[in-house]
Amino acid sequence: MGTKAAPPSAPATTGRKRKGRTFPPAAGRRRRRNPAPEVHEGGWASLPTDITLLVAGRVLDGDVVDYISFRAVCSGWRACTACPREPTMLDPRLRPRAWIALCDGDAVRPDEAGEIAFFHTRTARCIRVRLPELRRYRIVGFTDGLVILLHKRTTAVRVLHPFTRVAVDLPPLAPAFHRAVKHRNAMLEMNAAVCTAASGISIAVVACFPWVHVVLSAEPGHQGWEVIHKSMELLNTLPFQGRLYGIVSSYRQIVQVYPPNPLGPVVAHVPPRFAQRVHCSYLVESGGHILLVVRYEHGYWKHVEPWKRFTFATFKVSSVSRLWQFFPVCNLGDRALFLWQDRCLSISAKDLPSVRRNSLYFSFPLANHVILHCLTYRSFERPTTFCQVHDSKERIRPSVRPFTIADHLLTYCSHREWARGLMFHEYYQSRMFTRSQAKDDVLSSGPEARGLLPYVSDSATSMRP
């Protein structure tokens, strides 16, 4: 009645069985003396080394996180591929280039939480990474996914790869800051970027500060920081292909900040026809190219609401020669640009339905902070309802959740709010109040009142709920 059990020595099988031959082999047919080699029982782990290296190279060209997952499949693949823990961080392919950091909006600083949520701008993939290395540090910048840290007590600077945990240490910033900048509040809002060192054998970190005209740089192994510019107040900066570019707000100049050019830092000027009407200019990397976005205002639009009075002009930059050339861009395709003074961002809206293609997201210091400008229809919208939750003294209303992806992306562009765990559109007015007050302190304080305390913390001006 029952079926006969298999002998103990027979291997257990699962899934659908492959059927055997329907007909027996023809009589008199001789077997081959050299039969074709069978596939090793290891399956994919038995791939030849050259094929494994070819696949690994293509995976690495796409994303270093996928490359790390590829090497984790088996010991054979890990043995024949290069380790991503490169100590110098010079290879751009080993950097998490398309990954940006999101804000949780819970008023908890990421360095205190010891973790960061990373978002992949091309695939909309999100990963939360625990980073205990953030403790006792402040996050002062991002470049190609690399996190730039400033030690709260010693002011030593560290560049951290969030996925491989490789770190490059640089000397303390305080001695050079004492001599050149001399104001503690400026360090609280400093902005830093990673570049390729002028020597070409290591990375370099460039630090700039609001309200002051001093730019500092340092390399691993050097004794201290060097002042590379003494009269350059940068409005917007862009790391691109190992260099750092910026816009000098007072002269409408585009400059090469690092490495310093012996022929002069100026590489271009804002197009002359916008010189008298420019409200703000931005540099953003999009699709491997530099874009210059000029925001200017029409004076005859007085009857229109203030947040609708702007017109934008976008240019593609050609940097074949030392001086840049600009070519007008009328359509961004499926791209959307997020524009802010701290940093700018270009996102493909193909996999993000809530982000509008061929559009610009920016901010204006009025009741509605986030503004969407569609280049296709030349229209303006306010995608985020007015929801400021803090009046620079206390919390006045609860937070509005859930946040949209546009809220997160614009918050990433505003480093001041992101670093404090605050959403940009909820705390922007508070940020403007504290910045104007700090700027007044810089202008009115004397040299004896501008001492930098060794402990770097902004808890006194924190806008937590």
Side-chain angles (χ1 to χ4, degrees), residues 164-184:
T164 64
R165 305 292 180 85
V166 173
V168 175
D169 293 316
L170 292 96
L173 184 64
F177 192 89
H178 268 299
R179 297 190 301 268
V181 183
K182 303 178 181 179
H183 197 278
R184 176 176 177 270

Side-chain angles (χ1 to χ4, degrees), residues 349-372:
K350 186 182 303 182
D351 297 322
L352 300 175
S354 61
V355 176
R356 175 147 333 159
R357 64 184 299 275
N358 194 30
S359 299
L360 307 175
Y361 291 79
F362 67 103
S363 179
F364 189 70
L366 287 176
N368 301 95
H369 310 322
V370 181
I371 302 174
L372 164 62

Side-chain angles (χ1 to χ4, degrees), residues 154-176:
T154 65
T155 68
V157 175
R158 167 174 290 184
V159 180
L160 175 67
H161 193 302
F163 297 105
T164 64
R165 305 292 180 85
V166 173
V168 175
D169 293 316
L170 292 96
L173 184 64

Side-chain angles (χ1 to χ4, degrees), residues 30-44:
R30 297 181 180 180
R31 298 183 61 184
R32 296 181 180 178
R33 295 183 178 180
N34 297 321
E38 297 181 355
V39 179
H40 193 268
E41 294 180 357
W44 286 103

Side-chain angles (χ1 to χ4, degrees), residues 14-263:
T14 59
R16 186 177 179 181
K17 294 183 179 180
R18 183 187 297 271
K19 294 183 178 181
R21 298 180 183 178
T22 306
F23 302 99
R29 184 176 180 180
R30 297 181 180 180
R31 298 183 61 184
R32 296 181 180 178
R33 295 183 178 180
N34 297 321
E38 297 181 355
V39 179
H40 193 268
E41 294 180 357
W44 286 103
S46 62
L47 281 178
T49 302
D50 55 347
I51 298 180
T52 303
L53 291 176
L54 178 62
V55 175
R58 296 191 176 184
V59 172
L60 182 58
D61 290 338
D63 181 30
V64 67
V65 176
D66 292 337
Y67 179 73
I68 295 174
S69 302
F70 176 86
R71 297 184 73 251
V73 170
C74 64
S75 59
W77 290 7
R78 188 163 52 252
C80 66
T81 54
C83 179
R85 295 177 55 86
E86 201 237 337
T88 63
M89 298 187 188
L90 272 179
D91 190 349
R93 298 189 308 164
L94 297 177
R95 299 178 182 180
R97 293 162 292 173
W99 292 88
I100 63 172
L102 298 184
C103 176
D104 291 335
D106 53 4
V108 177
R109 301 177 65 93
D111 48 272
E112 295 179 358
E115 61 181 18
I116 300 178
F118 286 92
F119 177 81
H120 197 265
T121 57
R122 292 199 293 263
T123 62
R125 180 184 179 190
C126 192
I127 301 177
R128 183 171 293 275
V129 182
R130 294 196 58 83
L131 296 171
E133 297 89 344
L134 300 180
R135 301 296 172 87
R136 300 184 301 275
Y137 283 90
R138 287 183 61 247
I139 301 175
V140 295
F142 285 92
T143 302
D144 291 341
L146 303 178
V147 188
I148 308 173
L149 306 173
L150 177 71
H151 197 278
K152 295 180 180 179
R153 182 89 36 196
T154 65
T155 68
V157 175
R158 167 174 290 184
V159 180
L160 175 67
H161 193 302
F163 297 105
T164 64
R165 305 292 180 85
V166 173
V168 175
D169 293 316
L170 292 96
L173 184 64
F177 192 89
H178 268 299
R179 297 190 301 268
V181 183
K182 303 178 181 179
H183 197 278
R184 176 176 177 270
N185 287 337
M187 178 173 283
L188 297 181
E189 295 199 19
M190 67 174 289
N191 189 14
V194 176
C195 304
T196 302
S199 60
I201 60 176
S202 67
I203 62 173
V205 174
V206 181
C208 54
F209 311 89
W211 326 306
V212 293
H213 300 184
V214 176
V215 181
L216 307 177
S217 69
E219 300 180 22
H222 286 199
Q223 296 182 355
W225 288 71
E226 177 186 1
V227 178
I228 58 176
H229 298 288
K230 295 183 179 180
S231 58
M232 183 181 293
E233 184 180 4
L234 298 172
L235 178 65
N236 181 257
T237 57
L238 173 66
F240 182 75
Q241 296 182 353
R243 299 185 177 186
L244 181 65
Y245 299 99
I247 296 178
V248 179
S249 58
S250 56
Y251 299 102
R252 311 296 183 192
Q253 295 174 337
I254 303 175
V255 296
Q256 178 178 311
V257 183
Y258 189 89
N261 195 322
L263 301 178

Side-chain angles (χ1 to χ4, degrees), residues 356-429:
R356 175 147 333 159
R357 64 184 299 275
N358 194 30
S359 299
L360 307 175
Y361 291 79
F362 67 103
S363 179
F364 189 70
L366 287 176
N368 301 95
H369 310 322
V370 181
I371 302 174
L372 164 62
H373 176 54
C374 179
L375 297 178
T376 303
Y377 303 104
R378 300 294 178 182
S379 60
F380 291 85
E381 299 179 19
R382 293 176 292 184
T384 301
T385 307
F386 173 68
C387 54
Q388 182 182 348
V389 302
H390 208 283
D391 64 353
S392 76
K393 293 183 180 180
E394 61 182 4
R395 187 164 182 165
I396 57 178
R397 61 174 58 88
S399 177
V400 178
R401 294 174 181 264
F403 303 123
T404 66
I405 188 62
D407 296 335
H408 282 288
L409 296 178
L410 199 57
T411 300
Y412 169 77
C413 294
S414 178
H415 180 79
R416 178 70 166 174
E417 278 74 27
W418 180 94
R420 295 183 176 189
L422 307 175
M423 295 303 292
F424 172 78
H425 64 284
E426 294 184 337
Y427 287 84
Y428 175 57
Q429 292 285 16

